[in-house]
Amino acid sequence: MKAAELFVRCLENEGVQYIFGVPGEENIDIMDALLDSKMQFITTRHEQGAAFMADVYGRLTGRAGVCLSTLGPGATNLITGVADANMDRAPMVAIAGQGATTRLHKESHQILDLVTLFAPITKYATQIREAEVIPEIVRKAFKVAQTEKPGSCFIDFPENIAAMQIAGKVPLGVQAPYTPAPADVKVAQAAHIISEARCPIVLAGNGVIRAGATQALVSFAEVLHIPVATTFMAKGAMPFSHELSLGTIGLKARDLVSCGFEQADVVICVGYDMVEYHPVQWNPGQDKAIVHIDSLPAEVDEHYIVETGVLGNIGETLRAVAWKARPHDRHPLRKLREVIVREIAELSEDQSFPVKPQKIVWDLRQMLAPDDIVISDVGAHKMWMGRMYQAERPNTCIISNGFASMGIAVPGALAAKLAFPARRVVAVTGDAGFLMNSQEIETAMRARTPFVILIWNDSEYGLITWHQLRHFGRPSHISFQNPDFVKYAESFGAKGYRVEKTSDLASILKQALTDNTVSIIDCPVDYAENMKLTQKLQDLTSPLPL
Ligand SMILES: Cc1ncc(C[n+]2csc(CCOP(=O)(O)OP(=O)(O)O)c2C)c(N)n1
Ligand SMILES: [Mg+2]
């Protein structure tokens, strides 16, 4: 068979269902071999869209999402999504065609050293130089991508190698890596520190979700009566409705939930990743005793000096420590939870227009079932979603907080719908991030993946305005004009809605969620709330007794 065919067999062997990408001249042998495969190729309108689709597909399923481009400009277009997957710890395998090995040593049309280019944004980047190594390279790429901490891998496939004949090679057997149980002595140390703590608190990160340890986390909290805060990327690891949940921590400002960390003497970090939320934010005085529970050792940071680290299977560790530690009497931060819950509902009836961020988040939550999936883009809207959207289940509120790239939500929603066709999907996005990848609406219409796009319209790079106002008191070069989003939607054959008064938002959402097509909602947002929040948090006094 041709090497390209062997390559396709290897992808099938990994259980790949979808490949997202853009065909090019240097990947024609792969494209042709795909015609004889059950894998579905989703032809996208930009390689960045394809990479974000693979990124979110990988994050939601735990199996590497796959994207494909041609050489040179096709490959460089993949980069943002590949970097995003790598820093959000989403398994991904990115593949690019390459010029023939006979012209890689010299200046030549569209040739770039792609392996070097992708090295800093992947866990493993390589070139196929001999057809016979294809089974090893593909297996290694998937294994590395899917092993803790998951991330991106990159394969560069020169066109002359893809066209070669190869005999006697078959895909390698797929083996799942096994994470061992923690050492008893470490479990005992952690249990001792937690038993002696005056006020322990759990900080749960995305690693808990990746390890499938959310139920173990809930039991741990219940058995020991320890409250849990999650990072943005761990939303839903602890159901928000649980009385021990303190919601989400993630703003670069002192927030309500920070008061719980101020009160705590011991912070139990479970599957926590400082790439998303720097420890200086919750341990500024470097005075917390940190218990690090993860499958890998902690990163070095002066604000993250661990008292003990328990390495191994996260679920098993939580069960073992819960069994050994002495339960605390009562939920010492109950009062804080009451204030957080009250704040989320504060503007639920607000009818002012443009719509306040808190009200958008509230109405969206009311309209969605616990299993429905929201993908947030990056901007001020992400801060409000991260802070106030109540998630009950893991992987139901996807936020990019490692690389935090704008443009993920629309392609991400398409991938979410492919991964979970029975669940409803909403892309929550700013007006700027929306237009960065809105070309993928066409892909979604073609792929028949219905979802809702909720645009928070402020005609600005709102998060940057917020930042500038906080630092300098005046905005600089952040305004723009938007197209007519309703007409734009209709030009794709999608549905378009405009929120003209606040009371319409819930009913428009309800309608859009049943449209069974791509529906785009243009929702004017009142970002005067951003600076009001800043002010409120600056003046915040802890609701907890000192
Ligand atoms: C690809 C990319 N470019 C720039 C940034 C920096 N950035 C973060 S948020 C933001 C503004 C987002 O504007 P919009 O999408 O309208 O959302 P809003 O903040 O208004 O809610 C920018 C420019 C980024 N994170 N990603
Ligand atoms: Mg905006």
Side-chain angles (χ1 to χ4, degrees), residues 430-432 456-462 480 527:
D431 41 8
W456 299 33
N457 187 339
D458 66 334
S459 296
E460 282 187 2
Y461 291 104
F480 48 72
Y527 272 159

Side-chain angles (χ1 to χ4, degrees), residues 52 55-56 59 80 83-85 87-88 232-233 275-276 374-379 382-383 397-409:
F52 277 132
D55 175 8
V56 172
R59 180 150 164 208
T80 303
D84 194 85
M87 288 188 69
D88 282 1
F232 280 12
M233 288 181 61
V275 72
E276 356 163 23
V374 174
I375 320 265
S376 175
D377 214 81
V378 174
K382 176 176 109 172
M383 299 304 156
C397 180
I398 296 296
I399 294 182
S400 167
N401 217 23
F403 197 55
S405 171
M406 294 165 71
I408 189 175

Side-chain angles (χ1 to χ4, degrees), residues 173 199 225 259 421:
C199 179
H225 301 134
C259 302

